[in-house]
Amino acid sequence: MELMLQYNFFSPPFGIAAFTIGYYFTLQACVMHQVVSANRMLAVCIPLKYRSVFSKRNITYLIILCWVEVIPIMASYFVFPCNEIGYSPTLYEYVFVKCDPNIERDFSWSGTVANRFCFVVCFAAMFCDVVTLVKIILIKRSGIQQKNFSRDVRFFGQTSVQNLTMMVALTLVVLVNNSTTEDGLILQIFAFCTLILTQLNNALALILFNPEVRDRFIGKKRDYSDKYNTNIATNSVCNRIAPNRGPLTFEPLNNDNMSKSS
């Protein structure tokens, strides 16, 4: 029977390290979700400016920013005294680590700020998803054919599924706020499990909505280049002017065409 019990002799530094590493990646994923949602919104709503805004250089800067900006948030748990949080094997949850048994509060101020910051960021990502969804519906009803539209819809589905589970998890995390009250014990466990489910969903959504990722796993090579060789801006403008004529294509200029035109 003892072998079936969970090992609960983790030292406090080990639990704090587990929280620091795990929550760092959680906050980074939260910020990255906002960037991806904004990326999809611009691709669907403003396709002519998409490539200039999300150029390779700007994307590199955004990725670096997403990883770096989380560092001061996680550092605040250690810079400000008595704000550390660690994993509790007894409660199956990240809980506030009291530096003094006589301290009255049962939560971390740094954790409160971090949880609400991530909640606001994820809420902004959901707002971008709603704007993108409305634009997709309008495009479908108008009959306008946009280049890479089906791909943009597929990527939107991926981000919306990821943001939905993230929003549910963060709502529970904000309500629990790493406290150890007996009344919220079930909610604490549910919040922790939902957070793990969200992290799994982030990876599975990439595989489900992206054939490129699936082909990478099975070692299959496929050409995902654009179907048309014309510029995306030219296609978008021409399709808006004459949506029923289809994408604009160009024939190579040769002597026969020149003689016909003359």
Side-chain angles (χ1 to χ4, degrees):
M1 292 296 294
E2 293 181 357
L3 296 176
M4 299 179 62
L5 298 177
Q6 182 180 359
Y7 182 76
N8 57 359
F9 296 102
F10 294 117
S11 62
F14 182 86
I16 294 174
F19 165 80
T20 303
I21 297 174
Y23 215 62
Y24 174 82
F25 287 103
T26 300
L27 289 177
Q28 192 278 333
C30 182
V31 176
M32 187 65 73
H33 282 194
Q34 169 59 43
V35 175
V36 175
S37 295
N39 178 285
R40 293 300 90 208
M41 183 178 66
L42 287 180
V44 174
C45 299
I46 318 176
L48 297 180
K49 296 183 179 180
Y50 170 75
R51 289 192 175 182
S52 61
V53 175
F54 283 94
S55 61
K56 289 185 177 181
R57 184 179 65 177
N58 292 342
I59 291 175
T60 302
Y61 291 155
L62 284 173
I63 293 175
I64 295 175
L65 179 63
C66 289
W67 285 100
V68 172
E69 69 176 335
V70 181
I71 295 178
I73 298 177
M74 298 305 302
S76 65
Y77 287 93
F78 304 96
V79 173
F80 300 103
C82 203
N83 276 284
E84 296 178 353
I85 294 177
Y87 176 74
S88 172
T90 304
L91 299 176
Y92 301 92
E93 167 65 317
Y94 295 132
V95 298
F96 172 57
V97 180
K98 291 187 176 182
C99 59
D100 186 350
N102 298 323
I103 191 172
E104 296 182 358
R105 62 183 171 92
D106 195 27
F107 61 91
S108 168
W109 287 111
S110 297
T112 302
V113 174
N115 294 337
R116 281 156 177 74
F117 165 78
C118 197
F119 181 86
V120 171
V121 172
C122 192
F123 184 84
M126 293 290 293
F127 176 79
C128 292
D129 289 343
V130 172
V131 174
T132 306
L133 178 61
V134 172
K135 184 63 177 179
I136 289 174
I137 295 175
L138 293 177
I139 293 175
K140 293 289 290 185
R141 289 184 176 181
S142 65
I144 298 176
Q145 298 179 2
Q146 285 190 356
K147 188 179 181 182
N148 299 327
F149 179 72
S150 60
R151 185 191 65 180
D152 293 335
V153 173
R154 175 162 52 88
F155 287 161
F156 162 75
Q158 170 195 318
T159 56
S160 59
V161 168
Q162 291 175 326
N163 291 335
L164 182 61
T165 55
M166 176 68 81
M167 195 67 186
V168 174
L170 286 174
T171 301
L172 295 174
V173 169
V174 169
L175 292 176
V176 174
N177 200 26
N178 304 117
S179 62
T180 56
T181 57
E182 296 182 359
D183 297 336
L185 181 60
I186 297 179
L187 191 61
Q188 294 168 8
I189 299 175
F190 190 64
F192 185 77
C193 294
T194 307
L195 192 61
I196 296 177
L197 178 63
T198 300
Q199 295 171 348
L200 294 175
N201 179 67
N202 290 342
L204 293 177
L206 291 174
I207 301 174
L208 178 63
F209 289 94
N210 293 281
E212 301 91 340
V213 178
R214 295 196 298 270
D215 291 344
R216 175 79 64 174
F217 276 106
I218 62 178
K220 183 178 180 180
K221 294 183 179 180
R222 190 184 304 180
D223 184 15
Y224 293 99
S225 59
D226 296 335
K227 183 178 180 181
Y228 304 102
N229 295 325
T230 53
N231 184 270
I232 184 173
T234 306
N235 273 336
S236 300
V237 172
C238 294
N239 290 337
R240 291 181 182 275
I241 297 175
N244 296 326
R245 296 180 60 182
L248 181 65
T249 58
F250 298 94
E251 295 182 359
L253 187 62
N254 52 39
N255 294 331
D256 295 336
N257 292 336
M258 294 179 63
S259 60
K260 290 180 181 180
S261 61
S262 60

